[in-house]
Amino acid sequence: MSETSQLVMDQAVESLLDRVPNPCVGEELSRVEGPLKVSGWATYAAEYTFDGEALHGYLVSASIAKGTVESIDESSATAIDGVVAVITDFKAFIRNSQQGGEKKAPTQGVKEISYFGQPIALVVATSFEAAREGAAALKVHYTHEQGAFDFIAELGKREPITSGNDKPEHKNNPDEGLATAAVKVDSIYITPSQNSAAMEPHATIAEWDGDQLILHCSMQMLSSCKQQICDALGLKPDNVRLISRYVGGGFGSKLGISPESIAAAIAAKQLQRRIKVVMHRIQVFESTVRRTNTHQRVALGADHNGRIHTIIHNTICTNLPGETFFEPTAISTHFAYSGQNREVKYEMVRMNQVLAGSMRAPGEAVGMLALECAMDELAEKLDMDPVELRKLNDPAIDPSKGLPFSTRKLTDTLDYGAKHFGWEKRHKQPASQREGDWLIGMGMASATRSNQLKASAARVTLTPDAKAVVETDMTDIGTGTYTVLTQIAADMLGLPVSQVDVRLGDTDFPPAAGSGGSVGACSSGSSVYLACQEIRATLAKALGVEEDNLTLQAGQASGNGMSKAISELIQENIVAMGQIEPGKTSKEYTQASYGAHFAEVAVNVVTGETRIRRMLGVFAAGRILNEKTARSQCYGGMIFGIGAALMEELLHDPHNGRLVNHDLAEYHVPVNADIPPIDVVFLPERDPYANPLHAKGLGELGISGAGAAIANAIYNATGIRIYDYPLTLDKLLDQLPAI
């Protein structure tokens, strides 16, 4: 038996999860795939083994930043023992990975060099070591051109951006509003380029079975990645299969396809052999994506009572020539706070540096580093508590669109956080609390992150022995997707989790939203919910009760005084497809998740070193599907915020655009010793306009505003306001109070 359940979110819907007795959803269930991961049995992209050894491919990276490849001397590499071939295809090779959800191939053609490290060829050998040696020996001749490497020098050439992943806004008269404001701030904030630095490098194993291309890969969004590969290689969708069952982190760097996938596919076709290509860490930094650096102007105007009437948030960012992505820094500024005069503008500077693309919480992650520090500045000028300023300007409706909010608990998170953290103990006067050589301060910031629903599908099969199999090409990038989907299916079908088998990461399964933009669990989970709802209807009919009267629990179906084991009701598999799409609710309501960050820091007056002593995040994001995995996501997001505030910075050589800190030794990310005790609290909430689960995106909410809370705490500790991230000790030293 096969059925399909489709839902377009055109109105608020009730959730059957609210009727489930003893629900598993929401519980702190440990990861169902956890034992496989900690024992080494979870197979990642580069770890698949087959009958017959694969050849190894090693990407050759351009050693110039701007110019043209004139010739490649293949003999310089093929002379190396073990080297089989040098693969070049200047038209088909891709230049960089694309953004999530894109259907078209990334920029193709690598003869024209646009940045240092651009992949231009693939050396194939019988071992990784031989391929690497061959790549190092390969002689490439270039024609050099002058590139754009100095951001400040190129500022005069910036161009306006009028369309993309956020829209400019101009409402009423922001210039006049700012000029006549009783109290105002007008500041420039600088954020540097950053790298996702996922633990697992980009990797692909490619093989052909006739006209069928099979890629074992590390990708976040398989459905759209498959379409990109088809476009890049001129293949039909039926002839491409992607397998990505476990992904060792992505943070946006694996949203689209990356250079090694296409190179491996081309090499496998030419040589009629299975090809494995694994990027080494430097190539991951140089040849995938970075978060763009930003130059942000944030201006706020308010009356003497603290009511904001003017908000300006204008941004200059960078990317390669011809690329359309930009960092939507003001995407939450549109609805974060009240104000009738509003302006958002974006401008782009074209640079010969690594492609800028999506990195965890694109927009809010760096946009709120500016906005939430500006709010702190405004509070000080008003002689007003920063928490109270935010509460005073918490809008009842979206001030940009005039739409109602589906739910909005920003004030609730602020109140709970302030009480739970002990905000009343904060010293109002900066640099007034000291413990020996350490200055102590507290800071806070709001967290906002837009919520989205994406089209997603899943197939659920209920077998006669009361076992459920869930299939969707959704991926698990460490976020707990396997576990959350298991919980949803278990609750909907009244089964123990041990009776649910979730299968992910294979494009032979129905297409899901994929992992990115905090849309994965809610979108794919909703499609699983709908498939299970269809199965419930079949079981209700078999039992002879109305669907509303059916209860499924512990493998039993009951209703109207009747009860039977599920295994007694069916003699063959029940197969159901669930499909969900966004509808009117995404257009008629502003949907977002909200939170509040609080941080306490200590700054050493001798060295300028900052130590974070404790942090608290309070979040409202609809139904929390799994307390343990959700808390883990918020921990990770807040740690991302620590990195952005204190240490993360990609450095480009201003002479040639080359990354000079292109590995995990020199690109500093937080480690255990950097992280204080972190407390995460979820406020109860349901959002019936979001999806049938009443849940909202959470993974990227944790980073939004976290770094600003630390920056504000540093100001409270020292009286020093720094506008250039990261807030390293050298920027504090010459301004610290006397010892």
Side-chain angles (χ1 to χ4, degrees), residues 392-404:
L392 179 66
N393 291 284
D394 189 0
I397 63 170
D398 184 327
S400 292
K401 297 180 180 178
L403 297 176

Side-chain angles (χ1 to χ4, degrees), residues 12 335 394-398 403-413 447-451 585 588-595 619-623 683-691 694-697 701:
F335 63 85
D394 189 0
I397 63 170
D398 184 327
L403 297 176
F405 295 104
S406 58
T407 61
R408 185 177 172 107
K409 286 195 171 184
L410 177 60
T411 289
D412 294 337
T413 64
T448 58
R449 168 68 182 170
S450 297
N451 181 70
T585 60
E588 295 175 350
Y589 296 86
T590 293
Q591 297 182 22
S593 300
Y594 299 92
F619 305 107
R623 187 194 305 272
L683 299 187
E685 185 184 56
R686 301 287 187 268
D687 191 340
Y689 299 95
N691 50 61
H694 294 180
K696 293 194 284 193
L701 182 64

Side-chain angles (χ1 to χ4, degrees), residues 394-458:
D394 189 0
I397 63 170
D398 184 327
S400 292
K401 297 180 180 178
L403 297 176
F405 295 104
S406 58
T407 61
R408 185 177 172 107
K409 286 195 171 184
L410 177 60
T411 289
D412 294 337
T413 64
L414 292 166
D415 284 340
Y416 187 98
K419 182 177 181 180
H420 194 68
F421 195 72
W423 183 250
E424 76 281 358
K425 298 177 182 178
R426 168 181 175 267
H427 287 240
K428 181 179 176 181
Q429 181 64 36
S432 61
Q433 184 181 2
R434 184 163 175 166
E435 297 176 4
D437 288 340
W438 296 90
L439 296 168
I440 312 301
M442 290 187 192
M444 59 77 55
S446 298
T448 58
R449 168 68 182 170
S450 297
N451 181 70
Q452 299 179 72
L453 175 69
K454 294 292 186 180
S456 206

